[in-house]
Amino acid sequence: MALTQADKEYYKEVLERTSGHRNRERVIPPEYVAYLDQVEQKELILPLDAPACPVRLVISTAKDKMDQCPIHVNMHGGGFVYPQDHDDDMYCAHLAAEIHGIVVDIDYATSWDHPFPCAFEQSYAVVKWVSEQCQEWGGDPKRISIGGHSAGGCLTAAISMRAAATKEIALCLQMLDYAALDNYQSVLPGANERSNAFSKLYADGDDRVLQLPFCSPAFATDDMLKELPPTLIINAEHCPFKKENETYGLRMAAMGTEVTIKCFMDSPHGFTVRMAGQWQQAQELIIRAIKEASL
């Protein structure tokens, strides 16, 4: 049974009451903000058919973009309920400037009105569209990578699995940043109420949906984990998803995927984009991986 408006109001109250970490004070280095001046950012609405819907993109292109540049597609975090924001703009500007290329940030639909599979279908369609635009943009079709954070990491893993099965998209790298790979565990007894709210909203109240591999990649079969692109997994010492990311990485490696796992100490969930803990080192690692990756 789909969630009622009363259900959504209840989960909204839970998320508002438990969102203190999203409002913490921080100091943003001016040299990080300055990356926005090194790129051109433009918005685009990509029309899509059901079960997806039109999706907003923010495309960051380095002003010194090189020919045959890498192209990276980013999927932001936020539990599937929060949209793309200025932190994502700065993160994508940093990546685009340093790789001398293009970063496409997907502002996928939130689960308040568009539960699974909308964000997944949108994101897959965008990555496919980017691969079709690659040469027109002056990109290298052998250097198309994708990456995501938390909920975006879930989407990234799901897209990589579908791409491996359909052969529609050739990816040189997937980057999973403290990815939410098992959204079903959040509806089990004793689960954290904030994570529970995210999962209930994403599945529109149907817990069975949370065990589908494209909704929770941890439920993928071994065959679905074959022929995946080389993978960079970024973990945080104080992230509740640390163990599930390690387990997923080892499963991929057992199926023949090249996997690199790096755990950043003294860092919490969300640190890479929200600028906490060792966020600068994590972003530098992501940039190196994108620059070096190629089919």
Side-chain angles (χ1 to χ4, degrees), residues 93-274:
H94 184 205
L95 265 58
E98 291 292 340
I99 68 173
H100 305 286
I102 301 169
V103 177
V104 179
D105 196 19
I106 307 176
D107 188 17
Y108 52 83
T110 62
S111 57
W112 296 110
D113 299 309
H114 300 282
F116 180 86
C118 184
F120 167 60
E121 296 291 352
Q122 284 180 327
S123 299
Y124 184 85
V126 170
V127 175
K128 184 180 177 182
W129 175 78
V130 167
S131 71
E132 294 166 351
Q133 308 306 308
C134 178
Q135 291 182 303
E136 181 180 334
W137 289 354
D140 185 342
K142 294 183 179 180
R143 302 180 71 191
I144 299 172
S145 61
I146 62 175
H149 322 269
S150 193
C154 172
L155 297 173
T156 298
I159 290 166
S160 294
M161 287 192 292
R162 177 181 276 185
T166 64
K167 311 300 183 186
E168 293 179 318
I169 310 166
L171 300 170
C172 67
L173 172 74
Q174 70 164 335
M175 190 282 296
L176 306 178
D177 191 18
Y178 41 81
L181 299 170
D182 184 354
N183 296 300
Y184 180 69
Q185 65 177 341
S186 299
V187 300
L188 299 177
N192 175 280
E193 64 174 339
R194 183 173 178 82
S195 295
N196 178 266
F198 286 140
S199 290
K200 288 290 189 180
L201 288 163
Y202 191 42
D204 200 20
D206 187 348
D207 294 351
R208 296 169 299 177
V209 169
L210 297 168
Q211 297 183 66
L212 299 175
F214 289 155
C215 184
S216 293
F219 287 87
T221 65
D222 285 347
D223 282 344
M224 294 177 73
L225 299 180
K226 293 179 179 178
E227 300 183 31
L228 296 179
T231 301
L232 170 62
I233 294 178
I234 291 182
N235 254 339
E237 180 185 12
H238 303 300
C239 176
F241 302 154
K242 179 175 178 287
K243 182 62 177 178
E244 67 190 61
N245 276 259
E246 292 172 349
T247 299
Y248 190 73
L250 292 174
R251 287 190 62 203
M252 284 191 291
M255 292 298 104
T257 297
E258 178 184 332
V259 179
T260 300
I261 304 176
K262 169 69 175 179
C263 182
F264 288 86
M265 308 307 288
D266 299 319
S267 298
H269 181 80
F271 78 107
T272 305
V273 178
R274 301 305 174 197

